[in-house]
Amino acid sequence: MASHRRPKQPTRTRVTVLTATAAAAVALSAHGASAAPAQPSKDEVKSKVDALYEEAEQATEKFNGAKERQETLEKEIGQLQDAVARGQDELNQLRGTLGSMASAQYRTGGMDQSVALFLSGDPETYLDKASTLEQLSGKQVEAVQKIQAKQRSLAQKRQEAAGKLADLDATRKELGEKKKASQDKLAEAQALLNTLTAQERTALRDDESRASRSDSDRADLGNVKASGRAGAALAAAKTKLGSAYVSGATGPSAFDCSGLTQWAYKQANVSISRTTFTQVNDGTRIGQSQLQPGDLVFFYSDLHHVGLYAGNGMVLHASNPRGGVKYEAIGNMPFQFGVRVG
């Protein structure tokens, strides 16, 4: 019976097991490859970081605008509140004057009923009746009309102040949102930079240092002597080459893009507004061929970046947290137009 049994086939079974094991290893290897994509290169990281810096700057300029609105609203609210306080004092004085009239009238023969009602009740409601005024003396009528006018003025100022307080609340909320958006983008950019090896980070710094030196040499070689207020602004900005870029900063040791241009023109005794979105209206718009050293130059379709034209196709600007205040070729960014500050 034993001679009819099929012989065992250990070799084929072993091959099958080994093949299955190999297949599983290949599958795991493929899965591991898909789960862990290749590390982005130094240039890819730089490109992504630059894009994040642009998004952070967009939020920064909106933050700057909200901060400026907040300061304006706070000033206007303070002025309105002061006016309301002064108006209330004047109203109290007017009422005191009318009361003195009524007291004198009472001492000399009894108080006119219309005056008594006015002083004890709601003057606005009571004096709606035309007959009331006819019962008052000329001086009393004048006093009552002054009180009515002052009450209307105070009510209007209080309403205006309430509206501005509501605007201020909304502005403060926007301020917080824009600040967080900018900080989030900068944190994301830094996290990307941290993925590079020490060697890659050093190489990136070296690349940027060489580019910066080249841009500075080009600017110095082609620099035309600038004159007037624009020239003074450019000269001031040059003293800040190498300064840090910090969102919301206006100098003297750190700047964002519009903070630098505002500071530079201030040194030339020229006052320009705070944000890129308003600086576009601080002078006459000009094309690239008309640019002269010291003119403002604006970039990107939403106008969120500004610098100073330095001559020879170069811009001096607060670039980003990695580059700081530096020269750069105007063609490196999407130029929109220039503004000659009037």
Side-chain angles (χ1 to χ4, degrees):
M1 294 293 294
S3 61
H4 297 290
R5 293 176 182 169
R6 295 184 63 182
K8 295 181 180 179
Q9 299 178 325
T11 304
R12 178 178 296 178
T13 301
R14 186 165 178 267
V15 169
T16 302
V17 171
L18 289 173
T19 303
T21 302
V26 170
L28 285 171
S29 175
H31 176 72
S34 63
Q39 185 75 13
S41 68
K42 168 176 64 71
D43 292 338
E44 288 172 335
V45 167
K46 180 183 181 301
S47 179
K48 290 178 181 178
V49 166
D50 286 343
L52 286 167
Y53 282 156
E54 291 304 326
E55 291 176 29
E57 190 169 52
Q58 288 172 329
T60 292
E61 286 303 310
K62 290 174 183 176
F63 165 83
N64 291 338
K67 186 176 181 182
E68 194 171 41
R69 283 197 304 277
Q70 174 183 269
E71 292 169 354
T72 299
L73 283 168
E74 286 173 341
K75 184 178 179 180
E76 290 174 351
I77 288 168
Q79 290 170 342
L80 280 168
Q81 288 172 337
D82 288 345
V84 167
R86 288 193 303 271
Q88 188 63 53
D89 287 342
E90 291 169 6
L91 179 59
N92 293 340
Q93 290 172 10
L94 288 170
R95 283 175 170 161
T97 299
L98 186 59
S100 297
M101 288 181 191
S103 296
Q105 189 177 39
Y106 179 78
R107 287 194 300 270
T108 58
M111 186 186 298
D112 188 293
Q113 185 64 24
S114 59
V115 177
L117 286 170
F118 178 81
L119 291 171
S120 63
D122 179 3
E124 283 291 341
T125 302
Y126 181 67
L127 290 169
D128 281 342
K129 299 178 180 179
S131 61
T132 301
L133 290 177
E134 295 173 3
Q135 299 174 45
L136 302 178
S137 69
K139 286 185 178 180
Q140 289 169 339
V141 168
E142 184 182 354
V144 167
Q145 288 174 337
K146 283 182 179 179
I147 288 174
Q148 287 178 310
K150 182 58 66 177
Q151 285 175 323
R152 284 193 294 269
S153 174
L154 279 175
Q156 183 178 356
K157 282 184 170 60
R158 285 192 177 105
Q159 185 176 9
E160 187 178 353
K164 288 186 182 295
L165 283 167
D167 290 344
L168 180 59
D169 185 57
T171 299
R172 283 174 173 162
K173 182 179 178 182
E174 181 187 0
L175 197 65
E177 290 172 350
K178 299 307 178 188
K179 183 176 183 179
K180 184 178 184 303
S182 176
Q183 290 174 335
D184 287 349
K185 293 298 179 182
L186 292 175
E188 190 176 348
Q190 188 58 52
L192 265 175
L193 289 170
N194 291 343
T195 64
L196 296 175
T197 65
Q199 185 177 359
E200 287 173 325
R201 285 196 292 271
T202 299
L204 183 59
R205 282 195 297 270
D206 290 345
D207 289 347
E208 291 175 338
S209 180
R210 280 193 294 272
S212 181
R213 284 196 300 271
S214 175
D215 288 339
S216 294
D217 291 344
R218 179 177 166 185
D220 290 339
L221 286 172
N223 207 359
V224 179
K225 184 172 177 58
S227 60
R229 293 178 297 182
L234 178 60
K238 286 179 180 179
T239 68
K240 297 302 176 180
L241 278 166
S243 294
Y245 177 104
V246 175
S247 296
T250 57
S253 57
F255 306 86
D256 61 21
C257 69
S258 56
L260 175 66
T261 50
Q262 185 189 49
W263 178 88
Y265 266 94
K266 186 177 181 181
Q267 310 317 299
N269 297 315
V270 179
S271 177
I272 64 174
S273 53
R274 174 64 183 93
T275 74
T276 60
F277 310 124
T278 53
Q279 287 181 9
V280 295
N281 299 316
D282 285 339
T284 304
R285 296 190 183 189
I286 53 177
Q288 188 167 347
S289 63
Q290 300 169 283
L291 290 175
Q292 294 177 7
D295 287 337
L296 300 176
V297 280
F298 293 87
F299 300 92
Y300 302 94
S301 60
D302 65 350
L303 307 174
H304 71 262
H305 191 72
V306 65
L308 293 163
Y309 186 62
N312 199 32
M314 303 299 292
V315 176
L316 177 56
H317 67 143
S319 58
N320 56 46
R322 199 171 63 247
V325 178
K326 66 175 186 176
Y327 287 112
E328 190 164 355
I330 197 169
N332 286 0
M333 298 170 285
F335 173 82
Q336 302 299 306
F337 53 79
V339 165
R340 183 155 299 149
V341 176

